[in-house]
Amino acid sequence: MASPYSKEQLLTMYRKMYLIRRFEERAGQQYTLGKIAGFCHLYIGQEAVAVGPIEAIRPDDYMLSAYRDHGQPLARGSDAGMVMAELFGRGTGYSKGKGGSMHIFDIEHHFYGGYGIVGGQIPLAAGMAFASRYRNEDRVTVCYFGDAAANQGSFHETFNMAAKWKLPVIYICENNRYGMGTAIARTSAVPEIHKRAAAYGMRGEPVDGMDCLKMYEAVKDAAAYCRAGKGPVLLEANTYRFRGHSMADPATYRSKTEVEEERKNDPIPKLRDHALKNKLGQDSDFEAIEEEVKAQVDAAVKFADESPEPSLEELWRDTIVEEGEQDVRPRERVLGVKVTNWPKYPSGQELKVTWDLEPREQAEAADKKAGLSR
Amino acid sequence: MPSELTMPELMYREALNQALAEEMERDANVFLIGEEVGRYNGAFKVSQGLLDKFGSARIIDAPISELGFTGMSVGAAMVGLRPVVEMMTWNFAILAMDQIVNNAAKLRHMSGGQLRCPIVFRGPGGAGGRLSSQHSQALEANYAHFPGLKVIAPATPADAKGMLKAAIRDENPVIMFEGERLYAIKGEVPEGEHVVPLGKADVKREGTDVTIITWSRMYYFCMQAAEELAKEGISAEVLDLRTLRPLDEEAILASVRKTNRVVIVEEGWALAGVGASVVDIIQSKAFDDLDAPVARVTGLDVNMSYAANLENATQPDAPKIIDAVKKVLYREGA
């Protein structure tokens, strides 16, 4: 069967996956050199889970993630140098070096952050989706979390509300089979996370998370479903991280054979093979992309390394919004790029809320049936 | 002043209701969410009538999942809505603390100033009412600990209205403790646009001999004590902090410099309480103005009992405050 994709689409996806791979390899190297500290959770092996979905949604759809959060902003278009500078703890990073690896935020590209508490971002995504409905916007919110987060209360509490109120949110569980060092099957009564959606009457599906195109298709479909007001979707991306949980983890809890087996399933050559087989790109196209990306990542490391640490005055900024204080636009501040797509929200006067969470007729009918008077 | 003479008397809960209605009228981004806030009209009737006025998308009956709806509201605030989250009581908000502390309070910092989180978490706090340990605690010190939050605890209906309006308009997460046992208290409340700035304490009673510093429900015991003390010729100033984070240092120090003696009255526990920080401010910035060590009257360092006599013994009251005042005045019998 012929590929339904254009050459441009495939090369774009390849470029993004390759960028994440090279960026993370260099991040790992810089960690061992002591340039990056703290926890540094690498995304190597899971690139398809970020890139497929991001190609399938609109640039102004909301997105947020957990602490393994370098890949998504890179795929959304964030500046690689500024992401690397954040890992280095430099003032030129997206969060001025205050967030570090686990807290990349790039609001210009509608990436609403990485979060360090397992499952803590799950309700936030429902709230962002709620805001879209409240304002009659047809945006979707895409929220990533790991398999272990599915055992947190936040998962269950949020799914109940998101399903009840039909919120336009796509939850992507990145099931890489380990919650830190513990295999998900050892801690979960139902390790197939997508099945849990059924408990909330919500759509839930497994997806091959090692296949960028499968991820693309699944999210394209889910986004249309959400925009049509049909409610939230849970996708379980079955994926694998080739490295440890973080740079501090030698990953001795899994066998060499297992990792070797999974490495055969690498999503990056898989996409390349698809393109070559369908004559949508040739070796020279991919080689050119790889050269460009390598240079881009080299420049990112150089930029981070040469950037100054944040000034000590920064300690006292960004905790409380002072009266009249403007929000920080990182690329504008650091690179002098004019940021034009900063989110703008309708003021209280412009906004008309027409949505009903519990339509009055329905409520009255239910009361009548129950013999209640209002 | 004629305008003050015509000010209507409202209950604390009615003042809050008025603030909510006015702010929701003014700004369609404001919505209220919480357990029983809609069709039940609020567990403490603060949201009485609001569902009929604003509809179910803006007055939202949440499931009993505090962490879930709190986090959801934080997410809504991140993209510009202005949620007011009602905690049925602050005791239940302990379940939601991760979302308040790890997300709401830190979003701006972790994003390097990209995000803001304009949200109000409000509900009844404080002890009493024969509810035993899990329903009877003054928890404001917990939240006053965290940078990134503002914490308020108004005592009077007028302040309750004015400070809730200010909190809803604030660009930061605001924690509002209402006195569970203050909801039926009446007081004069200005109509319409009455906004009390956050971070400003208020001298509720002028005096010259001693400063009694307090907030929320304890204010009433302090006023009672001050009236009793006046009969003995002791002139007590009552300073209502109103905002616990940030503390109004200027007002605290001004009063200390005037009276030179201080008693701090706090409903919560002594260790790591808000009063401990007030003592720190006073001793480090006005030590030379003190004529006696600062005294504290706090809840006893125990869990709350159900038995009436034990419950009463646990909490500060006017006689305990009077004793403390006499002690800092070196009066006999104290």
Side-chain angles (χ1 to χ4, degrees):
Chain A
M1 205 178 80
S3 174
Y5 300 95
S6 71
K7 176 178 175 183
E8 194 201 341
Q9 272 180 312
L10 293 179
L11 292 184
T12 301
M13 286 192 242
Y14 186 83
R15 178 187 293 273
K16 287 181 171 184
M17 283 207 286
Y18 194 79
L19 168 65
I20 297 171
R21 176 69 55 95
R22 282 286 157 271
F23 182 96
E24 293 290 62
E25 284 173 353
R26 289 303 298 278
Q29 176 204 39
Q30 296 299 306
Y31 186 93
T32 57
L33 291 173
K35 299 272 186 183
I36 296 172
F39 293 132
C40 182
H41 308 91
L42 299 181
Y43 205 58
I44 293 172
Q46 300 183 210
E47 295 88 348
V49 191
V51 172
I54 287 168
E55 284 303 294
I57 57 171
R58 296 197 312 237
D60 67 338
D61 286 326
Y62 297 139
M63 176 174 267
L64 67 181
S65 183
Y67 46 78
R68 196 179 303 284
D69 64 340
H70 313 159
Q72 291 100 353
L74 289 174
R76 278 223 122 177
S78 300
D79 184 82
M82 289 178 64
V83 177
M84 191 64 88
E86 190 59 37
L87 304 191
F88 273 55
R90 302 301 166 95
T92 52
Y94 270 97
S95 299
K96 303 178 182 170
K98 298 175 184 183
S101 166
M102 296 189 283
H103 309 296
I104 308 293
F105 285 78
D106 179 3
I107 307 310
E108 179 195 351
H109 290 98
H110 294 89
F111 183 72
Y112 280 79
Y115 294 83
I117 306 293
V118 171
Q121 77 280 20
I122 297 176
L124 300 182
M128 294 161 76
F130 171 85
S132 303
R133 286 211 62 177
Y134 193 90
R135 298 198 187 99
N136 302 311
E137 294 168 344
D138 68 343
R139 278 177 217 263
V140 300
T141 298
V142 174
C143 176
Y144 287 86
F145 59 90
D147 39 79
N151 290 333
Q152 285 279 16
S154 59
F155 172 98
H156 300 278
E157 295 189 22
T158 303
F159 277 37
N160 177 55
M161 292 186 296
K164 177 70 190 159
W165 296 333
K166 295 200 183 312
L167 301 178
V169 52
I170 303 170
Y171 284 105
I172 301 181
C173 174
E174 301 200 61
N175 189 345
N176 62 23
R177 302 194 344 222
Y178 294 89
M180 201 174 151
T182 302
I184 188 71
R186 288 178 56 209
T187 51
S188 298
V190 179
E192 303 92 343
I193 311 290
H194 69 275
K195 290 186 179 169
R196 300 186 188 192
Y200 302 99
M202 162 181 162
R203 187 172 147 182
E205 295 158 11
V207 191
D208 180 356
M210 301 306 267
D211 188 328
C212 188
L213 301 176
K214 296 241 168 71
M215 287 305 304
Y216 174 90
E217 292 300 340
V219 170
K220 190 126 196 112
D221 209 41
Y225 181 88
C226 283
R227 287 192 225 280
K230 293 180 181 171
V233 178
L234 168 64
L235 299 175
E236 178 182 8
N238 289 299
T239 183
Y240 199 80
R241 59 171 150 79
F242 294 165
R243 306 283 287 263
H245 170 70
S246 75
M247 280 302 291
D249 169 25
T252 50
Y253 44 81
R254 50 188 203 186
S255 70
K256 239 188 179 140
T257 348
E258 178 183 311
V259 180
E260 272 164 19
E261 253 338 277
E262 290 299 332
R263 275 188 180 276
K264 289 182 194 156
N265 215 4
D266 193 322
I268 297 180
K270 192 181 286 177
L271 184 71
R272 184 180 174 142
D273 289 348
H274 175 93
L276 291 174
K277 211 180 287 169
N278 288 281
K279 307 211 173 347
L280 293 165
Q282 44 196 338
D283 283 330
S284 59
D285 295 319
F286 294 102
E287 279 154 22
I289 286 173
E290 287 166 13
E291 283 312 306
E292 282 166 31
V293 167
K294 272 180 202 165
Q296 184 187 358
V297 174
D298 283 345
V301 173
K302 188 165 183 283
F303 171 80
D305 204 26
E306 289 173 355
S307 286
E309 290 184 308
S311 74
L312 283 178
E313 286 94 78
E314 282 297 335
L315 276 175
W316 303 103
R317 295 194 187 124
D318 307 329
T319 298
I320 285 284
V321 186
E322 304 295 344
E323 214 171 307
E325 188 185 353
Q326 296 301 304
D327 295 331
V328 171
R329 302 182 180 197
R331 288 205 314 144
E332 206 163 276
R333 183 180 68 89
V334 175
L335 305 176
V337 178
K338 185 80 195 142
V339 172
T340 50
N341 53 340
W342 198 258
K344 245 181 106 180
Y345 307 113
S347 80
Q349 271 76 34
E350 300 159 11
L351 181 61
K352 292 276 169 287
V353 184
T354 53
W355 182 33
D356 252 344
L357 273 178
E358 193 186 11
R360 182 50 67 94
E361 312 80 63
Q362 277 179 27
E364 278 170 2
D367 283 355
K368 212 172 161 190
K369 207 173 158 195
L372 299 173
S373 62
R374 296 204 71 193
Chain B
M1 297 262 292
S3 65
E4 280 176 10
L5 290 174
T6 57
M7 241 191 262
E9 279 237 324
L10 289 184
M11 281 193 277
Y12 192 96
R13 65 160 61 91
E14 293 168 334
L16 291 168
N17 180 281
Q18 207 174 76
L20 281 170
E22 286 175 18
E23 291 307 298
M24 290 187 68
E25 204 75 62
R26 191 184 59 79
D27 184 351
N29 286 300
V30 180
F31 69 92
L32 175 71
I33 184 167
E35 292 151 3
E36 310 291 359
V37 297
R39 295 179 65 190
Y40 192 87
N41 279 313
F44 292 91
K45 303 296 169 221
V46 171
S47 56
Q48 182 99 41
L50 296 182
L51 175 65
D52 286 338
K53 217 177 267 178
F54 297 104
S56 65
R58 297 187 65 198
I59 303 292
I60 302 170
D61 277 323
I64 301 180
S65 33
E66 286 82 6
L67 180 145
F69 70 74
T70 298
M72 199 199 88
S73 304
V74 172
M78 283 163 63
V79 290
L81 295 188
R82 306 185 82 88
V84 178
V85 182
E86 178 170 309
M87 300 298 179
M88 194 186 282
T89 90
W90 278 100
N91 302 290
F92 307 159
I94 294 171
L95 285 132
M97 206 156 175
D98 174 58
Q99 289 298 326
I100 298 175
V101 164
N102 272 321
N103 286 339
K106 300 188 169 96
L107 277 166
R108 189 160 183 83
H109 180 85
M110 295 194 306
S111 67
Q114 293 179 70
L115 275 182
R116 53 181 70 194
C117 187
I119 187 167
V120 179
F121 307 98
R122 48 153 290 270
R130 308 279 310 273
L131 296 170
S132 186
S133 303
Q134 293 182 338
H135 277 69
S136 203
Q137 353 185 34
L139 295 169
E140 51 266 39
N142 291 267
Y143 296 91
H145 195 59
F146 291 103
L149 300 178
K150 291 186 179 181
V151 182
I152 61 177
T156 65
D159 284 349
K161 176 180 175 182
M163 293 182 81
L164 178 52
K165 284 172 80 86
I168 291 171
R169 297 178 193 189
D170 203 282
E171 292 297 328
N172 298 288
V174 179
I175 308 286
M176 181 167 178
F177 283 88
E178 298 157 9
E180 182 167 328
R181 307 186 74 193
L182 296 183
Y183 282 131
I185 282 213
K186 278 190 166 180
E188 291 186 329
V189 178
E191 286 181 297
E193 187 70 0
H194 165 62
V195 182
V196 175
L198 308 187
K200 293 276 173 234
D202 187 32
V203 178
K204 287 276 192 326
R205 186 187 195 280
E206 297 262 2
T208 51
D209 297 333
V210 61
T211 298
I212 306 176
I213 300 178
T214 192
W215 62 92
S216 193
R217 183 166 74 100
M218 293 297 113
Y219 159 75
Y220 294 93
F221 294 137
C222 294
M223 290 301 269
Q224 199 187 333
E227 296 306 322
E228 291 294 321
L229 289 162
K231 290 179 197 159
E232 297 182 40
I234 298 168
S235 162
E237 177 148 306
V238 176
L239 182 68
D240 177 5
L241 289 178
R242 300 197 290 195
T243 298
L244 307 179
R245 184 183 188 98
L247 282 167
D248 188 348
E249 285 196 18
E250 224 170 279
I252 293 167
L253 296 175
S255 187
V256 173
R257 288 182 180 130
K258 179 175 161 193
T259 66
N260 314 108
R261 296 169 200 272
V262 183
V263 172
I264 302 167
V265 183
E266 174 164 11
E267 185 172 356
W269 297 289
L271 186 75
V274 174
S277 289
V278 178
V279 174
D280 176 60
I281 290 167
I282 293 170
Q283 71 85 21
S284 61
K285 297 194 173 158
F287 186 75
D288 291 342
D289 293 289
L290 286 177
D291 287 342
V294 176
R296 292 178 71 200
V297 181
T298 69
L300 297 189
D301 214 6
V302 296
N303 287 322
M304 186 62 78
S305 299
Y306 170 71
N309 65 327
L310 297 182
E311 184 186 75
N312 282 337
T314 308
Q315 290 184 69
D317 57 16
K320 288 180 187 170
I321 298 165
I322 290 169
D323 278 355
V325 166
K326 288 185 175 169
K327 203 170 141 202
V328 301
L329 283 160
Y330 301 121
R331 291 288 175 103
E332 270 177 65

